[in-house]
Amino acid sequence: MRALRILLIVVVILGGLFVIADRVAVNFAEDEAADKLRSTENLASTPDVSIKGFPFLTQVVGGELDDVEIGIDDYEASTANRAEKIRVDDLRATMKGVEFSSDFSSATAASATGSATVSYDELMKAAKSEPTDVAPGVSAKVIGLSDGGNGKIKVTLRATAFGVEVPEPVDVLSTVTVKDNNVEVVADGLPEVGGKQLAESRIRAITDFQQTIDELPGGVKLDKVQAAKDGVEITVKGSNVRLAG
């Protein structure tokens, strides 16, 4: 019995040491992966990297990590105009089946899904915020975007008729979707501007617009989008996502 107790104590101690070693190793790997991702994606700050699953060391031996979560607070994505950037907030992604090279210099995830938010102020970069002629003597521009409820965006217009600014703004409820890696905003109905019902093509040139959100980390792409309180919430997905190297 005494020998059995000693054996059990040894097993518990060794198990505890293994757990400690495993946690030390995973913390080191997370820090290294975060630094590598910051360098690869040219990020302003170090992202959060969390390697899930236990034990970590056996995953390393197998050459593949089951589940890796990445968080980036502010990411500068590309737009259709490559010289202009759009800020993507609170990007969170889960990577599945992450394979890495023997020297840990590169890593690729079999699949990735995630979410992020683009504020209405950022989305305004693609809207017509300069006066645009919509009829003889009448111009209009977009002065704001906000949550219209029920998954819609409220596009607020300001009109000028014959040199006089119309006192009351015009609100248009719009549907937001993803099309060809663009966030697309399309008015559900057409308003009167300056007391006039305008040609559809002219008013839609102001109310409808697209914002490209490209070159996201690892090459993930836009999947879905929905209007929310503080901006549009986007979901992203990808396969064979390159994390480093």
Side-chain angles (χ1 to χ4, degrees):
M1 290 296 293
R2 184 171 180 274
L4 181 58
R5 282 198 300 271
I6 293 173
L7 179 60
L8 289 174
I9 291 171
V10 171
V11 169
V12 169
I13 292 173
L14 291 177
L17 291 175
F18 175 77
V19 170
I20 293 172
D22 192 80
R23 293 302 88 190
V24 169
V26 76
N27 289 336
F28 176 79
E30 288 171 345
D31 291 342
E32 289 295 305
D35 288 340
K36 186 72 174 179
L37 184 60
R38 178 178 181 176
S39 174
T40 300
E41 297 293 340
N42 194 28
L43 302 177
S45 59
T46 304
D48 296 324
V49 175
S50 178
I51 300 172
K52 303 298 182 181
F54 178 82
F56 165 70
L57 292 174
T58 58
Q59 295 181 67
V60 172
V61 172
E64 180 177 316
L65 303 177
D66 298 332
D67 191 342
V68 178
E69 294 182 358
I70 294 172
I72 302 173
D73 290 334
D74 298 306
Y75 184 80
E76 296 287 318
S78 293
T79 64
N81 175 9
R82 296 296 177 180
E84 186 176 74
K85 300 293 184 179
I86 183 168
R87 192 180 75 249
V88 178
D89 297 324
D90 198 27
L91 177 60
R92 296 288 179 267
T94 299
M95 313 291 181
K96 300 288 187 180
V98 179
E99 295 184 351
F100 49 87
S101 61
S102 58
D103 61 357
F104 305 103
S105 62
S106 64
T108 303
S111 64
T113 57
S115 63
T117 300
V118 177
S119 71
Y120 288 119
D121 285 345
E122 287 294 301
L123 196 59
M124 266 291 291
K125 291 178 178 179
K128 291 288 183 65
S129 57
E130 295 296 326
T132 301
D133 292 337
V134 293
V138 180
S139 64
K141 63 180 180 180
V142 179
I143 61 172
L145 304 174
S146 58
D147 180 18
N150 298 317
K152 302 289 185 178
I153 287 181
K154 182 167 68 176
V155 180
T156 301
L157 309 176
R158 176 72 72 184
T160 299
F162 303 101
V164 179
E165 189 174 87
V166 177
E168 294 297 324
V170 178
D171 292 330
V172 181
L173 287 180
S174 301
T175 297
V176 56
T177 57
V178 171
K179 182 178 180 180
D180 299 329
N181 218 40
N182 297 306
V183 173
E184 184 176 65
V185 178
V186 177
D188 294 346
L190 299 179
E192 289 187 356
V193 175
K196 295 185 178 183
Q197 185 67 52
L198 306 174
E200 180 172 348
S201 60
R202 290 190 176 185
I203 191 63
R204 284 199 179 278
I206 301 172
T207 60
D208 300 358
F209 61 91
Q210 291 184 340
Q211 175 61 280
T212 301
I213 301 178
D214 203 3
E215 296 183 359
L216 291 168
V220 295
K221 301 293 184 181
L222 297 182
D223 182 30
K224 297 177 183 178
V225 63
Q226 180 174 321
K229 180 181 178 181
D230 299 320
V232 292
E233 296 177 347
I234 63 174
T235 58
V236 299
K237 67 177 181 179
S239 56
N240 297 320
V241 177
R242 200 166 186 82
L243 302 178

